[in-house]
Amino acid sequence: MSILINKNTKVLVQGITGRDGSFHTSKMKAYGTNVVAGVSPGKGGQLMDGIPVYNTVEDAVKATGADTSIIFVPAPLAGDAILEASEAGIDLVICISEGVPTLDMVKATNYLKKKGTKLIGANCPGLITPGESMIGILPVDIFKKGNVGLMSRSGTLTYLMVSLLTNSGLGQSTCVGIGGDPVAGLYYQELLQMFEDDPQTEVIVLIGEIGGDAEERAAQYIKEHITKPVVAFIAGQTAPVGKRMGHAGAIISSGSGTAAEKIAAFEAIGVPVARRPVELPDLVKKALADRK
Amino acid sequence: MSILINKNTKVLVQGITGRDGSFHTSKMKAYGTNVVAGVSPGKGGQLMDGIPVYNTVEDAVKATGADTSIIFVPAPLAGDAILEASEAGIDLVICISEGVPTLDMVKATNYLKKKGTKLIGANCPGLITPGESMIGILPVDIFKKGNVGLMSRSGTLTYLMVSLLTNSGLGQSTCVGIGGDPVAGLYYQELLQMFEDDPQTEVIVLIGEIGGDAEERAAQYIKEHITKPVVAFIAGQTAPVGKRMGHAGAIISSGSGTAAEKIAAFEAIGVPVARRPVELPDLVKKALADRK
Amino acid sequence: MKIHEYQSKEIFSRYSILVTNETVCYSTEEVVKATEELGLPVVVKAQVHAGGRGKAGGVKLARTMEEAKNAAHSILGMDIKGYKVEKVLVAQGVKFNSEFYVGLTIDRNSKSVIFMASSEGGVEIEEVAKDNPDAIHKFVIDPDLGMTAFLARKIAFKLFTDFALVKQAVDLFQKLYQIFLDTDASLVEINPLVVTDDGKLLALDGKMNFDDNALFRQPKIAALDEPTEDEKKEIAAKESGLTYIRLDGTIGCMVNGAGLAMASMDVIKYFGGNPANFLDIGGSSNPQKVITAMNLLLSDKNVKVIMINIFGGITRCDDVAKGLIIALDQMKVDIPIVIRLSGTNAEEGLRIISEHNLPTVNSLSEAAQEAIRLANN
Amino acid sequence: MKIHEYQSKEIFSRYSILVTNETVCYSTEEVVKATEELGLPVVVKAQVHAGGRGKAGGVKLARTMEEAKNAAHSILGMDIKGYKVEKVLVAQGVKFNSEFYVGLTIDRNSKSVIFMASSEGGVEIEEVAKDNPDAIHKFVIDPDLGMTAFLARKIAFKLFTDFALVKQAVDLFQKLYQIFLDTDASLVEINPLVVTDDGKLLALDGKMNFDDNALFRQPKIAALDEPTEDEKKEIAAKESGLTYIRLDGTIGCMVNGAGLAMASMDVIKYFGGNPANFLDIGGSSNPQKVITAMNLLLSDKNVKVIMINIFGGITRCDDVAKGLIIALDQMKVDIPIVIRLSGTNAEEGLRIISEHNLPTVNSLSEAAQEAIRLANN
């Protein structure tokens, strides 16, 4: 088992003929991801790395039965692409595009909620169920099948964390990059519940960062609903107030959204927080050993 | 039994302090309708005919548990009033106001659908379950408890029809004025199903008029889903093309929406159509006698 | 409310939709001048609030100045479905190689704005709807999303294969939807939408109708109204709280309620008579309203008899009867009147009317038959 | 992106929201002239992109011309939280009897625009949020409905009992939401919103921030940007595909990825060092980007050592190493560099770097400790 995706997931790539879209499509395909279709308006009828390209998501879904979509279109068009995927009946949308206007995400997330479509991102590296399916831009070599469920607001930091886990013999069930934007799709709460419900996952790693209060809310949710052990890391302990640290959502606004608050929230409910990335594997091992 | 309303329905009046609102509130109350609250922004705290007035629907619902709302506010404000009622958790909204802009109704009906709120109108006379509750501007004296379920796009024509039925000894389960606007709330299809499911109702009267193809769709629905006898009347056999006959929705557009088409649609599926109002009671009696 | 083609295209232009170069003209001289400025060929088109101008001879292509002059001469003053042509639109001839239909309207069933598109442009869409309904693509627009780029693309791919045209169409469709919302339209139509020889989408003709209920918040649109004489009467009636529509029969009708008014006309027709009008006086017993209504009926010289049909509901029949008596006392009515009252306090109302020596009848059928008898006298 | 108070109020004015009569001034002379025109009393307010102006002495009431002059003199040139005051706003004094707070922002949790309102206006809202959170009313705005009249009324009734004020507030709140949407704002705030002596709602102060991701479609807003020198550097970096934020430490950091960059800074801090900056060079191995990044780091005179931390993902470490070598070959770097590579092809990358006699370390902790040692040398 795993969460969200597995080897049967039928993937559609929106923006498949673009530079990033075509590059990562080939990478995904090479990993074994079941990429069934691409969409690129005006390029319907072409083939990209053997994958049929359609003008609209509706056409692609009708022709191939794709149930999951990954979006590589430029940020100004990403909100529309998310809506198109949802309207065409896609179940899970992964938006890689960085720089999507927040109000576009407000509109998109609101619509997807009504339609029951799940979204990951925008501004995220995607997700992977090691050995089965990778939908995103993740470096597949560092992942290994196992029982750690991981979610993170960051990209390369996640790769570092996953490397450390894998090198310590800790494989992963599913790793989800939830993205660095203030308004995004699936977040800690939903993913915590999915990992809780996933038999393969035995321990959950949550990698947060400054900005907003999602980590505090996650702590509350863990306290009330999660029985599996959780280990956390929070980036940005040295970030100044009022500056966006690379991610649009990583900003401390007048005294709220600091790493210290988030770390305190987790530790208050008994979730260990690694102070440095290198501490993570041991904390995970300890959590596994300590669990009832 | 009855449909939509009964003596337990707790009614809130939006626009209770206006000329029409106050007049008809007293009429409803006199009939025995359970009017529990009124709303009139800026007049919260007052009493109208003994009924407490609130500034917002939310306040009124919290204080009184009202589940049904009737709207008497001026047409430009009616769309907002419908939304307010729905957002505050009202189950059934009856909008009397005439002249509501169509795009306001598009917005309102779309929102209500998502919220699961039922709407009757706008531009309608309301509805009555004789002997239990009247929510609208209907002349209560002509109604009599019985087994005819009636729905109509018209006001005074309905009163005439109901008089004829009552005078012939045919009482009514519930009579619903669905209103004369092109975009309206509950329509034939939903009400036909409610009457079908209502044990008290033994025969259904449908009073239609020119404009749109709702009657044709109703005929199709009756054919497929309704087992109880239905009798119809269609107003506007002499209406010219391209003119709105009083009701915003009563217009024959380039050859569609004529009375002849609607009558033909009903007769094609065996629903008798009265040519003159006076023929209705006998057709209803015959339908009751003929039913299996 | 309807507006003329040229007014619709002025609105399109404001949203940067490409339309023909064109000028409105009120005389043959103006047509000549406009043709000189625009250059030949031109198309001269009657500007009236009626469909089927082409079939009626209201649209003419002019390849020479002589033809332009003749077109102007023959079209100006022409009568199209009861509308007198007082102005024509002189539009620069455009070379194009395909014609499409696009339109937006309200769909009662989905309770939404609907977008219609067809490759069979340039002909009356009602005919396409009858002969080849599958040729019209219909798309319900989700009010929460509006005309998204992806929906516009989905529609555009139904009409075009050339992606350059698809991109133009996406922009055009989004603008049309915006126009629909911004103006509280009930219909926005381009027919035909053409692809010009240089690959541009251009609105060769345009049509817009508006939601009368929303005109209060659309003062700029309301200002475009050009009612005919009959429509002016209808508007004046509306301002007095009456709904009046003139027809061509001999029996003037005065009824309370729109549905009942239609049913009353139907009953007259059923017995072989012809109603002279639709007239709904609403729910009031105000004598002034009755006087206004009477004056409306009497202003129609075809009216031979007046049939009054009132159903007392919230309004009591005795009140209505009193209003009627006061009204009739104050004016001279020299044609017969048939009065039928029923509903709340009908007996009392009938008594009041009888006391004033006015004829009353007991049923709508009787009223209609009596009115027909009197009209045929 | 932030704009000044006076710019926010100019936008409010365009939507017919009442603001104080006011003039922006760049010198004491201009302040005197503005005061003459506006009439005494006036309020002189520093225009800088920093909160807490009042506490810093950047806002002064002037009842006489002398006071106005003094206020201008003391405020112009003042430093507020690192921002030099180059202009002041001279605003006509307004008599008012109550102060409120209203603001709109994005709520991450509900993924919607949220409206905040409080009767405790005129003080910093963050303080109210801490001391008396119940005094702030929060309303999530349904994106499908927007700021409906009923929602605006619901909010207004929380602040006002006088219905005349409620009606004004409804209009004001709907306009503020429209401004938020129209400008792709991330924050719109009026604090305080006052009730003037003649019963009008007036924005005494105004604040707006904007979504950087949406500036591409907001050219008028983007044109209002007035970056400081540090911010100009950040913007220039952004244009080269880098995210750079200057801090006040001594260890220059160059990292790929925002989260990793933050974590690297945190590790430096963990071992007692101080990062000089946040610098995310993204996912590229382009030598030009490395050169630009190096130049950014070297332009900061506080930087004593450079720590490079790269995690190879899709980008391979050997490619990054080659980019680094080319970059370092092309420029003179006279401070020590500590390089840490890991992830895809890290070994090959480290070999390439070692061949060029550059120091490499094996872990982030080691890199941080080595950098601190070198910085303290």
Side-chain angles (χ1 to χ4, degrees):
Chain A
M1 285 290 285
S2 56
I3 69 163
L4 292 164
I5 62 169
N6 57 42
K7 61 183 186 308
N8 299 318
T9 304
K10 293 168 95 170
V11 180
L12 160 75
V13 181
Q14 289 176 259
I16 195 168
T17 58
R19 198 175 58 95
D20 291 349
S22 58
F23 177 78
H24 291 291
T25 298
S26 298
K27 291 263 177 196
M28 287 189 278
K29 206 181 151 199
Y31 188 64
T33 303
N34 186 18
V35 183
V36 299
V39 167
S40 185
K43 303 211 170 135
Q46 297 183 7
L47 286 179
M48 209 305 292
D49 196 5
I51 298 157
V53 179
Y54 300 87
N55 283 326
T56 68
V57 176
E58 188 182 52
D59 289 349
V61 169
K62 273 188 190 152
T64 67
D67 51 31
T68 297
S69 167
I70 178 163
I71 293 173
F72 286 104
V73 306
L77 312 177
D80 188 70
I82 295 171
L83 294 172
E84 178 172 11
S86 174
E87 200 260 356
I90 290 287
D91 293 328
L92 172 65
V93 180
I94 298 108
C95 185
I96 305 299
S97 318
E98 179 179 354
V100 185
T102 306
L103 286 177
D104 292 3
M105 290 306 296
V106 167
K107 183 175 180 181
T109 52
N110 175 57
Y111 181 75
L112 267 62
K113 193 174 152 196
K114 289 181 286 182
K115 291 278 288 184
T117 312
K118 293 185 285 288
L119 171 70
I120 294 174
N123 188 18
C124 80
L127 76 169
I128 183 170
T129 292
E132 302 208 15
S133 185
M134 187 281 280
I135 310 178
I137 59 173
L138 299 161
V140 294
D141 294 346
I142 58 173
F143 296 90
K144 185 184 133 180
K145 196 178 177 78
N147 57 13
V148 179
L150 182 145
M151 64 191 88
S152 171
R153 283 167 71 179
S154 165
T156 45
L157 175 59
T158 306
Y159 311 160
L160 169 64
M161 293 303 207
V162 169
S163 293
L164 293 169
L165 291 173
T166 297
N167 292 340
S168 305
L170 294 159
Q172 305 88 41
S173 53
T174 303
C175 295
V176 187
I178 60 177
D181 279 352
V183 172
L186 293 181
Y187 229 75
Y188 299 135
Q189 189 164 314
E190 297 93 334
L191 293 171
L192 281 164
Q193 192 58 54
M194 288 181 197
F195 281 129
E196 173 78 11
D197 298 339
D198 171 39
Q200 185 184 336
T201 303
E202 293 178 29
V203 57
I204 303 168
V205 171
L206 185 158
I207 300 172
E209 63 189 28
I210 54 160
D213 64 352
E215 287 78 8
E216 287 88 334
R217 288 177 185 272
Q220 187 63 29
Y221 192 81
I222 290 166
K223 189 181 161 193
E224 289 166 7
H225 299 96
I226 304 300
T227 63
K228 293 181 182 176
V230 181
V231 178
F233 177 84
I234 306 292
Q237 298 171 54
T238 46
V241 173
K243 288 285 185 185
R244 295 199 180 274
M245 304 303 279
H247 293 151
I251 182 167
I252 302 170
S253 0
S254 6
S256 83
T258 63
E261 289 169 306
K262 295 170 189 300
I263 292 170
F266 282 123
E267 292 188 338
I269 58 151
V271 167
V273 182
R275 283 303 188 281
R276 288 176 295 151
V278 73
E279 296 172 6
L280 187 73
D282 284 347
L283 288 179
V284 171
K285 282 180 184 166
K286 186 164 183 304
L288 278 169
D290 288 354
R291 94 200 118 136
K292 298 158 228 159
Chain B
M1 286 288 287
S2 56
I3 69 164
L4 292 165
I5 61 169
N6 57 42
K7 62 182 183 309
N8 299 318
T9 303
K10 292 168 96 171
V11 180
L12 159 75
V13 180
Q14 288 176 259
I16 195 169
T17 58
R19 198 174 58 95
D20 291 349
S22 58
F23 177 78
H24 291 291
T25 298
S26 298
K27 292 264 177 193
M28 287 189 277
K29 206 181 153 200
Y31 188 63
T33 303
N34 186 18
V35 183
V36 297
V39 167
S40 184
K43 304 211 168 133
Q46 299 183 4
L47 285 179
M48 209 306 292
D49 197 4
I51 299 158
V53 178
Y54 300 87
N55 283 326
T56 68
V57 176
E58 189 182 52
D59 289 348
V61 168
K62 273 189 192 152
T64 66
D67 51 30
T68 297
S69 166
I70 178 163
I71 293 173
F72 286 104
V73 306
L77 312 177
D80 187 69
I82 296 171
L83 294 172
E84 178 172 10
S86 174
E87 200 261 355
I90 289 288
D91 293 328
L92 172 64
V93 180
I94 297 109
C95 184
I96 305 300
S97 319
E98 179 177 354
V100 185
T102 306
L103 287 177
D104 292 1
M105 290 306 296
V106 167
K107 183 175 179 181
T109 53
N110 174 59
Y111 181 76
L112 267 61
K113 194 175 152 195
K114 289 182 284 180
K115 290 278 288 182
T117 313
K118 293 185 285 289
L119 171 70
I120 294 174
N123 188 17
C124 81
L127 76 169
I128 183 171
T129 291
E132 301 208 14
S133 185
M134 188 281 281
I135 310 178
I137 59 172
L138 299 162
V140 294
D141 294 345
I142 58 173
F143 295 89
K144 185 184 132 180
K145 196 177 177 79
N147 57 14
V148 179
L150 182 146
M151 63 191 87
S152 170
R153 285 167 69 180
S154 165
T156 46
L157 175 59
T158 306
Y159 311 159
L160 169 64
M161 293 304 207
V162 169
S163 293
L164 293 168
L165 291 173
T166 297
N167 292 341
S168 304
L170 294 159
Q172 304 89 40
S173 52
T174 304
C175 295
V176 186
I178 60 177
D181 279 352
V183 172
L186 294 181
Y187 229 75
Y188 299 136
Q189 191 165 314
E190 297 94 334
L191 293 172
L192 282 164
Q193 192 59 54
M194 288 181 197
F195 281 130
E196 174 77 12
D197 298 339
D198 171 39
Q200 184 184 338
T201 303
E202 293 180 28
V203 57
I204 303 167
V205 171
L206 184 158
I207 300 172
E209 63 188 29
I210 54 161
D213 64 353
E215 286 78 7
E216 288 87 334
R217 289 177 184 270
Q220 187 63 30
Y221 192 82
I222 290 166
K223 189 181 160 195
E224 290 166 7
H225 300 96
I226 304 301
T227 62
K228 293 180 181 175
V230 181
V231 178
F233 177 83
I234 306 293
Q237 298 171 54
T238 46
V241 174
K243 288 284 184 186
R244 296 199 180 273
M245 304 303 278
H247 293 152
I251 182 167
I252 302 170
S253 1
S254 6
S256 83
T258 64
E261 289 169 307
K262 295 171 189 299
I263 291 170
F266 282 124
E267 292 187 337
I269 58 151
V271 167
V273 181
R275 282 305 187 281
R276 288 176 295 152
V278 73
E279 295 171 6
L280 187 73
D282 284 349
L283 288 179
V284 172
K285 283 181 183 168
K286 187 167 182 302
L288 278 169
D290 288 355
R291 93 200 120 135
K292 298 156 232 165
Chain C
M1 192 199 115
K2 294 175 178 179
I3 59 173
H4 293 296
E5 174 194 358
Y6 77 92
Q7 294 169 318
S8 302
K9 286 154 95 180
E10 276 170 15
I11 294 173
F12 294 171
S13 273
R14 250 176 272 147
Y15 285 79
S16 309
I17 293 171
L18 195 64
V19 301
T20 39
N21 292 324
E22 55 192 33
T23 311
V24 187
C25 300
Y26 294 80
S27 67
T28 305
E29 293 70 46
E30 286 181 23
V31 170
V32 169
K33 190 160 162 279
T35 305
E36 276 165 1
E37 281 166 6
L38 293 165
L40 285 160
V42 295
V43 181
V44 181
K45 301 193 264 188
Q47 298 295 291
V48 282
H49 293 161
R53 292 178 306 180
K55 281 183 192 155
V59 178
K60 288 197 194 302
L61 171 67
R63 286 191 194 76
T64 65
M65 188 56 82
E66 199 53 32
E67 284 180 3
K69 232 183 261 184
N70 289 343
H73 199 76
S74 73
I75 296 173
L76 281 163
M78 175 186 265
D79 180 286
I80 299 179
K81 295 186 184 170
Y83 292 87
K84 195 184 165 201
V85 181
E86 286 168 349
K87 50 190 167 187
V88 293
L89 184 62
V90 180
Q92 204 171 48
V94 173
K95 284 189 183 163
F96 57 85
N97 45 46
S98 48
E99 296 177 85
F100 300 88
Y101 167 92
V102 293
L104 288 144
T105 190
I106 295 288
D107 178 46
R108 294 176 184 219
N109 188 43
S110 64
K111 302 174 189 185
S112 301
V113 181
I114 195 170
F115 196 101
M116 298 167 293
S118 176
S119 299
E120 304 201 3
V123 293
E124 281 191 42
I125 195 67
E126 290 82 7
E127 288 178 12
V128 180
K130 267 184 195 146
D131 302 342
N132 189 10
D134 289 347
I136 304 176
H137 306 284
K138 292 182 180 182
F139 298 83
V140 171
I141 300 173
D142 183 330
D144 294 336
L145 292 184
M147 180 61 83
T148 54
F150 82 81
L151 175 60
R153 265 200 312 272
K154 208 191 273 189
I155 302 171
F157 276 119
K158 300 275 181 200
L159 301 186
F160 308 105
T161 47
D162 178 354
F163 193 55
L165 290 174
V166 168
K167 281 195 280 187
Q168 283 185 61
V170 166
D171 182 59
L172 174 71
F173 297 170
Q174 293 190 303
K175 283 171 177 162
L176 285 179
Y177 181 68
Q178 198 57 50
I179 290 173
F180 194 95
L181 294 192
D182 288 353
T183 62
D184 272 301
S186 56
L187 178 74
V188 176
E189 222 175 57
I190 301 181
N191 188 20
L193 173 72
V194 302
V195 179
T196 62
D197 273 8
D198 58 345
K200 295 264 181 4
L201 290 182
L202 178 144
L204 206 63
D205 196 350
K207 188 173 172 183
M208 291 187 75
N209 294 347
F210 302 93
D211 176 7
D212 294 334
N213 285 347
L215 288 177
F216 73 90
R217 65 185 178 199
Q218 296 289 351
K220 281 183 193 163
I221 297 299
L224 299 177
D225 196 20
E226 293 180 6
T228 60
E229 287 311 311
D230 274 358
E231 286 163 353
K232 277 181 195 162
K233 258 192 188 175
E234 293 170 12
I235 292 167
K238 200 94 200 164
E239 281 162 5
S240 313
L242 311 171
T243 309
Y244 172 80
I245 293 165
R246 199 188 156 187
L247 302 168
D248 51 10
T250 54
I251 300 170
C253 305
M254 185 193 303
V255 189
N256 65 330
L260 189 60
M262 278 191 272
S264 303
M265 290 159 57
D266 294 349
V267 172
I268 291 171
K269 190 84 175 181
Y270 179 87
F271 286 109
N274 277 308
N277 61 277
F278 169 96
L279 173 56
D280 169 14
I281 62 166
S284 164
S285 54
N286 178 346
Q288 189 50 51
K289 227 166 164 181
V290 179
I291 294 177
T292 310
M294 274 291 180
N295 281 329
L296 266 171
L297 295 182
L298 296 175
S299 73
D300 178 353
K301 295 305 157 208
N302 291 342
V303 171
K304 299 262 189 304
V305 57
I306 290 171
M307 183 182 102
I308 299 175
N309 183 23
I310 302 295
F311 192 93
I314 295 300
T315 313
R316 287 155 44 186
C317 281
D318 50 342
D319 275 355
V320 176
K322 283 176 204 156
L324 265 174
I325 296 302
I326 295 168
L328 293 175
D329 275 357
Q330 289 180 17
M331 61 193 309
K332 197 182 146 284
V333 181
D334 50 11
I335 54 173
I337 302 179
V338 180
I339 301 172
R340 190 248 172 173
L341 297 178
S342 60
T344 315
N345 291 17
E347 279 181 36
E348 176 65 5
L350 289 170
R351 197 188 51 73
I352 292 168
I353 286 177
S354 301
E355 277 173 8
H356 286 75
N357 299 318
L358 285 167
T360 63
V361 291
N362 288 321
S363 76
L364 176 51
S365 296
E366 213 179 307
Q369 285 169 296
E370 177 65 6
I372 293 167
R373 194 185 61 76
L374 291 166
N376 293 341
N377 260 2
Chain D
M1 193 199 114
K2 293 175 179 180
I3 59 174
H4 293 298
E5 173 194 358
Y6 77 92
Q7 293 169 319
S8 301
K9 284 155 95 182
E10 276 169 16
I11 294 173
F12 293 172
S13 272
R14 250 176 272 147
Y15 285 79
S16 308
I17 293 171
L18 194 63
V19 300
T20 38
N21 292 324
E22 55 192 33
T23 311
V24 187
C25 300
Y26 294 80
S27 66
T28 305
E29 294 70 46
E30 285 181 24
V31 170
V32 169
K33 190 158 164 280
T35 305
E36 276 165 2
E37 281 166 7
L38 293 165
L40 285 160
V42 295
V43 181
V44 182
K45 302 193 263 188
Q47 299 295 290
V48 283
H49 292 162
R53 293 177 306 178
K55 282 185 192 155
V59 178
K60 288 196 194 302
L61 171 67
R63 286 191 195 75
T64 65
M65 188 56 82
E66 199 54 33
E67 283 180 4
K69 235 186 258 182
N70 290 344
H73 199 74
S74 72
I75 297 173
L76 282 164
M78 173 186 267
D79 181 284
I80 300 180
K81 296 186 184 168
Y83 292 88
K84 193 183 165 203
V85 180
E86 285 168 351
K87 48 190 169 187
V88 293
L89 185 61
V90 181
Q92 204 170 49
V94 172
K95 285 190 185 160
F96 56 86
N97 44 47
S98 49
E99 297 177 84
F100 301 88
Y101 167 92
V102 293
L104 288 143
T105 190
I106 296 287
D107 178 47
R108 294 175 184 218
N109 188 43
S110 64
K111 301 173 190 186
S112 301
V113 181
I114 196 170
F115 196 101
M116 297 166 294
S118 176
S119 298
E120 304 200 3
V123 292
E124 280 192 43
I125 196 67
E126 291 81 7
E127 289 178 13
V128 181
K130 269 184 195 146
D131 302 341
N132 189 10
D134 288 347
I136 304 176
H137 306 285
K138 291 183 178 179
F139 297 85
V140 171
I141 300 173
D142 183 329
D144 294 336
L145 293 184
M147 180 60 83
T148 54
F150 81 82
L151 175 59
R153 265 200 311 271
K154 209 191 274 188
I155 302 170
F157 277 118
K158 300 275 183 200
L159 302 187
F160 308 105
T161 48
D162 178 355
F163 193 54
L165 290 174
V166 168
K167 279 196 279 186
Q168 283 184 62
V170 166
D171 182 59
L172 173 72
F173 297 170
Q174 292 190 304
K175 282 172 177 161
L176 285 179
Y177 181 68
Q178 198 57 49
I179 290 173
F180 194 95
L181 293 191
D182 288 352
T183 62
D184 272 301
S186 55
L187 178 74
V188 176
E189 223 173 58
I190 302 180
N191 188 20
L193 174 71
V194 301
V195 180
T196 62
D197 273 8
D198 57 343
K200 295 264 180 1
L201 289 181
L202 178 144
L204 205 64
D205 196 350
K207 187 172 172 184
M208 291 186 74
N209 294 348
F210 302 94
D211 176 8
D212 293 334
N213 285 347
L215 288 178
F216 72 91
R217 64 185 177 199
Q218 297 288 352
K220 282 182 194 165
I221 298 299
L224 300 177
D225 196 18
E226 293 179 8
T228 58
E229 286 311 309
D230 273 357
E231 286 163 353
K232 276 181 194 161
K233 259 194 189 174
E234 293 170 14
I235 292 167
K238 199 93 200 164
E239 280 162 6
S240 312
L242 310 171
T243 308
Y244 172 80
I245 294 164
R246 202 188 154 186
L247 301 169
D248 51 10
T250 54
I251 301 170
C253 304
M254 185 191 306
V255 189
N256 66 330
L260 190 58
M262 279 191 272
S264 304
M265 291 158 56
D266 294 348
V267 172
I268 290 171
K269 190 84 177 180
Y270 179 86
F271 287 108
N274 278 308
N277 62 277
F278 169 95
L279 174 55
D280 170 13
I281 61 166
S284 165
S285 54
N286 179 348
Q288 190 49 54
K289 228 166 162 180
V290 180
I291 294 176
T292 310
M294 273 293 180
N295 281 328
L296 265 171
L297 295 183
L298 297 176
S299 73
D300 178 353
K301 296 304 156 210
N302 292 342
V303 171
K304 299 261 191 303
V305 57
I306 290 171
M307 182 183 102
I308 299 176
N309 183 21
I310 302 293
F311 191 93
I314 295 299
T315 314
R316 288 155 42 185
C317 281
D318 50 343
D319 276 355
V320 177
K322 283 176 204 155
L324 265 174
I325 296 302
I326 295 169
L328 294 174
D329 275 356
Q330 289 180 18
M331 61 195 309
K332 195 182 147 286
V333 180
D334 50 12
I335 55 174
I337 303 179
V338 180
I339 301 172
R340 190 248 173 174
L341 296 178
S342 62
T344 316
N345 290 16
E347 279 181 35
E348 175 65 4
L350 290 169
R351 197 189 51 74
I352 292 169
I353 285 178
S354 302
E355 276 173 7
H356 286 75
N357 300 318
L358 284 166
T360 63
V361 292
N362 288 322
S363 75
L364 177 49
S365 296
E366 213 180 307
Q369 285 169 293
E370 177 66 5
I372 293 167
R373 193 187 61 77
L374 291 166
N376 292 341
N377 261 3

